[in-house]
Amino acid sequence: MSTAVLSRKSLIVLCIGFLVLFVGGGSRFAIGLVLKPMAEELDWTRGVFGGAAAIFLIVSSICMFASGRLADRYSLRVVLCGGLLISAIGTASMSFVEAPWQTLAFYGIVFAVGNGLASIAPVGVMVSRWFPGRIGFANAITVSGIGVGQLIIIGGLAVVLSDIGWRSAYVWLGAINLALVPIVAAGMARSSETGNSTSQVAARRIGMTLGQAMRTSRLWVLVVVYAICGFQDFFLATHVVAFAQDRGVETLMAGNLLAFMGLAGVAGVLLSGIWSDRKGPQRATFACFLLRTAVFALILFDQNTVSVALFALLFGTTFWVTAPLTVVFARDAFGIAHLGAISGMIVMVHHMCGGLGAYFGAVMFDLEGNYDTAFIIMLALSAIAAALCGLLQKTAHSQPDGQSNPVRQDELT
């Protein structure tokens, strides 16, 4: 196979991964954009939308794990296209809702299933097959699609929402998801799903099962680190705007903080991918939590407008740092035969703990009227995660072609 052909096919794989997460990232945040006009037109309480979001998070997390297992066993093209098709049905159906249970069903269940299937878990497996030597950076590029999708799709809908209405917004979101199905199907047909060398095909038969990996301490250290990461991510994403407003930041600036966090996150995730390929995922993860420790200390010490903005932006640079590293950690430790199942389980824990983090922040504020105790706990968790990174020293052995052999099971127990 020529280098030129390989380059074109590799680029197609990157584009597919980016587009899937771009559309999924934009679609999942739409409920926040249309919450107010929907609640006013239908005369619903905001608790309906909170319930739908909670159900969505649980269902999509479980489906991320399922999608990882499916990616190990079946065609990636079927998994991704199936997820996009279900997402299209779920989002388009939201344009017809008249009762709260329909929102819970269409967004919380149907769309959640599709969004979980066409997610970072199967995309990570796909990219790992094509970029064994630069898996960190390649996954970082695809993961950046989540932030870019949030900015462009939601930003674009926000501009026209008052003209087209929330029902039409969901129709357009459904159309975008549906339009991506033939693009992904055609692109994956052209690029194939087997990776770019015979050795990679053989390597996919090597590695631990999820059950074997669960009998090692290394997996549970990873699970704890990613649980802390998700707990912090969703805590801040949910409460940073309200916190900024509580501290006297103007409404417009507070609202823009989340968007700028997304931009900072894109830069952070790309840098972490490059660093991971050169020095391994442990150092990038350690740096992530070291920075989080510092920013939580900062916000406890000073909460003026400048400090709040700096806090949000610095945390934003760490927002997706660990996302592309999930498959790197899993591949290096456990091989790639069951990479989707193992990485999918880690992602599932990350997102479920994220839901707990968002709820925890609300409870702490209701109890104390501020987030100070929550910030202290977040600082402590950051320090714990940074310390745990010391237990994740790289144990895989690099090969001349840039691939890694999974370590023996007795090295991990």
Side-chain angles (χ1 to χ4, degrees):
M1 183 179 296
S2 70
T3 303
V5 172
L6 174 59
S7 178
R8 287 197 300 271
K9 290 187 174 182
S10 299
L11 182 60
I12 289 173
V13 168
L14 275 184
C15 289
I16 289 172
F18 180 90
L19 286 173
V20 168
L21 298 183
F22 172 89
V23 171
S27 300
R28 70 184 301 175
F29 292 108
I31 195 167
L33 178 67
V34 303
L35 186 153
K36 184 175 175 61
M38 281 188 71
E40 290 177 349
E41 179 181 325
L42 299 171
D43 195 25
W44 293 351
T45 66
R46 297 191 180 187
V48 172
F49 302 95
I55 294 173
F56 169 87
L57 196 60
I58 293 171
V59 173
S60 64
S61 297
I62 295 172
C63 289
M64 284 179 184
F65 169 61
S67 69
R69 301 204 69 164
L70 291 171
D72 291 331
R73 301 179 181 182
Y74 304 105
S75 165
L76 280 166
R77 179 170 48 174
V78 172
V79 174
L80 292 176
C81 290
L84 289 168
L85 183 59
I86 296 171
S87 293
I89 294 171
T91 51
S93 297
M94 283 290 289
S95 65
F96 300 106
V97 299
E98 297 291 347
W101 71 265
Q102 294 172 326
T103 298
L104 299 178
F106 295 148
Y107 181 84
I109 298 178
V110 179
F111 173 61
V113 170
N115 195 256
L117 290 176
S119 66
I120 192 173
V123 168
V125 172
M126 177 179 70
V127 172
S128 70
R129 294 178 181 177
W130 276 91
F131 299 88
R134 302 198 67 189
I135 184 174
F137 181 61
N139 267 294
I141 291 175
T142 59
V143 169
S144 69
I146 299 174
V148 177
Q150 179 182 349
L151 289 171
I152 294 179
I153 293 179
I154 299 303
L157 287 176
V159 172
V160 301
L161 185 62
S162 60
D163 295 325
I164 67 174
W166 62 268
R167 293 186 187 274
S168 293
Y170 274 119
V171 171
W172 279 105
L173 283 174
I176 292 171
N177 279 270
L178 185 61
L180 193 55
V181 173
I183 295 174
V184 171
M188 295 191 73
R190 291 188 61 187
S191 64
S192 174
E193 299 184 22
T194 58
N196 53 20
S197 72
T198 303
S199 61
Q200 290 174 51
V201 177
R204 281 205 291 280
R205 303 187 182 98
I206 302 172
M208 295 184 187
T209 64
L210 177 59
Q212 291 171 329
M214 291 178 70
R215 292 194 291 272
T216 70
S217 61
R218 186 178 178 87
L219 178 65
W220 294 109
V221 172
L222 277 172
V223 166
V224 172
V225 169
Y226 274 80
I228 291 173
C229 182
F231 191 81
Q232 294 178 330
D233 286 349
F234 285 83
F235 160 75
L236 203 68
T238 303
H239 297 282
V240 67
V241 175
F243 166 68
Q245 292 173 330
D246 292 341
R247 305 317 299 171
V249 178
E250 294 181 358
T251 301
L252 180 60
M253 180 178 176
N256 285 331
L257 279 179
L258 195 57
F260 287 122
M261 283 177 63
L263 288 174
V266 171
V269 75
L270 293 176
L271 287 174
S272 75
I274 296 172
W275 194 1
S276 171
D277 289 336
R278 294 180 178 178
K279 301 295 184 179
Q282 297 80 10
R283 294 187 183 184
T285 305
F286 174 76
C288 166
F289 286 106
L290 192 64
L291 180 57
R292 290 188 178 194
T293 303
V295 298
F296 282 119
L298 166 68
I299 205 61
L300 282 167
F301 177 75
D302 189 4
Q303 297 184 357
N304 62 36
T305 299
V306 174
S307 294
V308 170
L310 188 62
F311 165 68
L313 292 175
L314 288 176
F315 187 94
T317 62
T318 72
F319 203 61
W320 292 306
V321 161
T322 61
L325 306 184
T326 311
V327 292
V328 185
F329 277 120
R331 181 202 63 177
D332 287 351
F334 311 113
I336 62 176
H338 300 279
L339 180 62
I342 295 172
S343 62
M345 190 268 270
I346 296 171
V347 172
M348 177 181 70
V349 171
H350 175 278
H351 280 65
M352 285 190 168
C353 287
L356 293 176
Y359 180 71
F360 165 79
V363 170
M364 294 305 297
F365 183 84
D366 289 342
L367 287 174
E368 301 188 351
N370 60 57
Y371 293 100
D372 289 352
T373 300
F375 288 146
I376 292 172
I377 293 173
M378 293 297 167
L379 188 154
L381 288 174
S382 296
I384 291 170
L388 288 175
C389 289
L391 301 177
L392 295 175
Q393 293 300 316
K394 191 172 183 180
T395 52
H397 306 289
S398 297
Q399 297 300 305
D401 62 357
Q403 299 179 65
S404 299
N405 288 334
V407 294
R408 299 191 311 273
Q409 185 172 346
D410 59 3
E411 292 178 318
L412 299 167
T413 54

